[in-house]
């Protein structure tokens, strides 16, 4: 039995559904909103690479080390982006959250906070994880700020860790949140989602 089994997570009009080949066109449309594949510090697939992107995610699911979701509008089914559990380590009950991207129109809205709340709730409250981790490019300052707003702690930087799409080598910034820290973080995320949206998270 896989540590992360197929599940749909939903709240506040957002549904995370297991990524499937049927989401290919929706992912293309979401990525086209902002031409996100042109950002050198993200993993958004170019239009002609989208099917391979989904197939790779499904291979990771089969191997048990990644479980990808399509982020969708619950009412319409429109694909808004994608996110994943990855580097899944059942023996120590640890998952990381990453491969996350959203159409430009969804950025700086409640979508990311809602997705993180859903995924952390499932990881800690259902899967019984001890730790949830994140990693990001050292130049992706927006991602680092978003992770820190979640309440995660910076573990350190792995230098010369991974290749970017443009062939340069990146340093990777690592973050984590332990299960004992989750109740306070959960309360903060719910506060952010429930307060007036004049200042967008």
């Amino acid at each position: 039995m896989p540590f992360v089994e197929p599940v749909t997570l939903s709240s506040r009009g957002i549904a995370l559904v297991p990524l499937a080949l049927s989401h290919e066109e929706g992912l293309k449309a979401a990525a086209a909103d902002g031409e996100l594949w042109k950002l050198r510090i993200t993993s958004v697939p170019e239009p002609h690479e989208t099917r391979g992107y989904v197939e790779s995610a499904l291979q990771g699911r089969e191997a048990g080390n990644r479980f990808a979701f399509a982020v969708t509008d619950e009412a319409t089914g429109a694909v808004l982006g994608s996110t994943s559990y990855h580097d899944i380590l059942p023996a120590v009950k640890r998952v990381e959250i990453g491969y996350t991207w959203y159409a430009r129109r969804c950025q700086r809205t409640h979508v990311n906070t809602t997705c993180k709340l859903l995924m952390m709730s499932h990881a800690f409250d259902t899967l019984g994880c001890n730790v949830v981790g994140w990693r990001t490019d050292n130049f992706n300052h927006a991602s680092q700020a978003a992770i820190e707003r979640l309440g995660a702690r910076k573990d350190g930087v792995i230098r010369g860790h991974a290749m970017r799409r443009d062939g340069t080598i990146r340093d990777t910034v690592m973050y984590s949140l332990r299960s004992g820290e989750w109740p306070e973080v959960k309360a903060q995320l719910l506060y952010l989602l429930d307060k007036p949206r004049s200042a967008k998270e």
Side-chain angles (χ1 to χ4, degrees):
M1 180 181 298
F3 186 62
V4 182
E5 296 186 74
V7 64
T8 295
L9 309 173
S10 61
S11 180
R12 301 171 191 263
I14 302 299
L16 304 182
V17 300
L19 189 65
L21 288 172
S22 60
H23 294 120
E24 180 182 356
E25 293 305 315
L27 289 174
K28 285 182 181 179
D33 182 0
E35 296 186 323
L36 303 178
W37 60 85
K38 293 185 177 180
L39 302 175
R40 66 189 289 264
I41 53 176
T42 70
S43 61
V44 182
E46 294 187 39
H48 69 278
E49 296 174 336
T50 304
R51 186 174 185 86
Y53 179 88
V54 177
E55 289 174 343
S56 177
L58 295 178
Q59 289 168 4
R61 183 188 305 177
E62 185 67 24
N65 55 35
R66 180 180 173 192
F67 193 98
F69 295 92
V71 180
T72 67
D73 181 303
E74 191 171 22
T76 66
V79 177
L80 308 176
S82 185
T83 189
S84 297
Y85 291 123
H86 66 95
D87 285 75
I88 298 167
L89 301 174
V92 295
K93 293 189 175 180
R94 174 189 169 101
V95 299
E96 293 186 35
I97 296 174
Y99 296 90
T100 301
W101 56 272
Y102 309 104
R104 177 179 286 176
R105 68 184 183 278
C106 300
Q107 296 172 15
R108 299 189 62 78
T109 69
H110 77 292
V111 172
N112 183 55
T113 306
T114 299
C115 289
K116 293 301 186 292
L117 178 62
L118 286 168
M119 294 185 77
M120 285 193 284
S121 294
H122 188 67
F124 286 121
D125 301 336
T126 301
L127 301 179
C129 285
N130 295 315
V131 179
V132 172
W134 293 262
R135 61 182 70 187
T136 188
D137 191 296
N138 62 303
F139 282 119
N140 194 342
H141 302 297
S143 177
Q144 291 172 48
I147 294 168
E148 290 169 8
R149 279 198 302 272
L150 295 173
R153 297 190 182 183
K154 185 176 179 179
D155 295 321
V157 179
I158 305 176
R159 300 178 67 184
H161 181 241
M163 191 79 73
R164 297 188 184 94
R165 65 172 70 231
D166 64 0
T168 57
I169 299 174
R170 83 176 199 183
D171 295 347
T172 298
V173 187
M174 303 292 293
Y175 291 88
S176 66
L177 184 76
R178 298 182 68 91
S179 57
E181 298 160 342
W182 167 234
E184 177 62 20
V185 168
K186 183 177 184 179
Q188 177 65 8
L189 291 178
L190 288 170
Y191 165 76
L192 291 174
L193 285 166
D194 288 336
K195 75 177 185 177
R197 302 296 306 170
S198 56
K200 295 180 179 179
E201 279 72 43

